[in-house]
Amino acid sequence: GLKGVARSMPTSGALDRVAAKLGVPFFETPTGWKYFGNLMDAEKCSVCGEESFGTGGDHVREKDGMWAVLAWLSILAKKNEGASEFVSVEDIAVAHWKEYGRNFFSRYDYEGCDSESANKMMDYLRNEVIPAAANGSKMGDFVVDKADDFEYTDPIDGSVASKQGVRIVFSDGSRIIFRLSGTGSSGATIRLYIEQYENDASKMLVDAQEALKPIIETALEVSKLQEFTGRDKPTVIT
């Protein structure tokens, strides 16, 4: 059986709901495969992944794309055993959403931002937004559960990783996350992760960008991203 499962903090929280229902140990780590490696070496984690499509199992201490493909082929083979009609990946995804709800998810990358301006925005989030985001307060139409600058204490070696991303978590499980990457002379990349949970079966097949529009607007308003960076749109949307 599964020893445990893990995802990086910015990755969709869909895994959390499955782990909770199955009673499987769950770990939320900073971005970086080394954190998964520690868990797997200690036999605490069987399957792990991050939002940049890296996925792996405890058979190797690294991402394994071929393993991920074979895992999906195995799932498809199992789901199609005795089926009268072909069960597709989409069918499996829709069935999952009906059982657990759908975590609409997207990442906005603002590349080549002025490093000083990007750092000022992050400081604003840490020093102004987080202290004001009390439990029960509202941001747009969303009710705040908690807001923090993610910190991780490795359960294996006790090392502490701080300032791993500003996150605002709402009462329905939706999240806004800001991370800074590459603050050298070539500029910084601001990564905005947006996740909105939906358990209304009639809305499961809505386009992700349409479903996420309200929380994206809230994220941009709260962070004052355009004001700090002068950017009115992201460089890349995934």
Side-chain angles (χ1 to χ4, degrees):
L2 290 171
K3 301 166 188 172
V5 293
R7 64 165 175 82
S8 62
M9 184 274 286
T11 300
S12 162
L15 179 64
D16 313 27
R17 299 178 184 277
V18 178
K21 184 168 183 177
L22 297 179
V24 174
F26 163 77
F27 301 90
E28 181 180 37
T29 74
T31 297
W33 207 262
K34 65 180 181 180
Y35 300 104
F36 295 148
N38 278 2
L39 293 169
M40 290 189 288
D41 286 349
E43 299 187 351
K44 299 289 186 183
C45 176
S46 301
V47 180
C48 55
E50 54 188 12
E51 49 78 32
S52 56
F53 303 109
T55 310
D58 58 358
H59 61 289
V60 63
R61 202 181 192 276
E62 192 45 271
K63 306 169 190 177
D64 190 343
M66 287 302 297
W67 175 88
V69 171
L70 291 170
W72 262 109
L73 289 173
S74 296
I75 292 168
L76 282 167
K78 185 66 177 177
K79 291 292 185 180
N80 278 282
E81 282 184 0
S84 58
E85 295 183 4
F86 178 71
V87 180
S88 67
V89 171
E90 181 181 0
D91 295 331
I92 294 169
V94 171
H96 172 88
W97 296 335
K98 286 180 179 178
E99 183 173 357
Y100 293 98
R102 182 174 178 181
N103 292 66
F104 286 97
F105 182 87
S106 187
R107 189 179 90 186
Y108 280 28
D109 287 359
Y110 296 81
E111 298 175 346
C113 295
D114 176 71
S115 294
E116 183 179 358
S117 299
N119 276 301
K120 283 182 178 179
M121 189 199 79
M122 293 301 294
D123 288 341
Y124 169 74
L125 288 166
R126 292 186 179 108
N127 301 327
E128 302 291 335
V129 174
I130 288 177
N135 177 272
S137 62
K138 292 199 72 176
M139 290 185 180
D141 294 329
F142 300 89
V143 179
V144 174
D145 178 46
K146 65 178 180 180
D148 60 15
D149 196 350
F150 184 62
E151 182 174 287
Y152 177 74
T153 300
D154 194 300
I156 309 306
D157 61 22
S159 61
V160 177
S162 57
K163 291 189 174 182
Q164 294 298 306
V166 171
R167 61 178 181 173
I168 303 168
V169 183
F170 298 105
S171 59
D172 65 350
S174 300
R175 301 186 302 160
I176 298 169
I177 296 162
F178 295 89
R179 290 184 64 246
L180 208 55
S181 175
T183 54
S185 58
S186 61
T189 296
I190 297 172
R191 302 195 195 282
L192 166 59
Y193 306 83
I194 317 104
E195 177 175 16
Q196 187 164 332
Y197 178 71
E198 181 59 70
N199 60 6
D200 184 338
S202 68
K203 299 178 181 179
M204 296 300 179
L205 299 181
V206 173
D207 178 78
Q209 294 304 314
E210 180 183 342
L212 291 168
K213 186 177 180 181
I215 197 168
I216 291 170
E217 291 175 349
T218 297
L220 296 175
E221 180 181 349
V222 166
S223 65
K224 298 184 178 181
L225 188 147
Q226 184 172 356
E227 181 179 326
F228 278 107
T229 67
R231 300 294 185 87
D232 61 356
K233 60 182 179 181
T235 315
V236 180
I237 298 176
T238 53

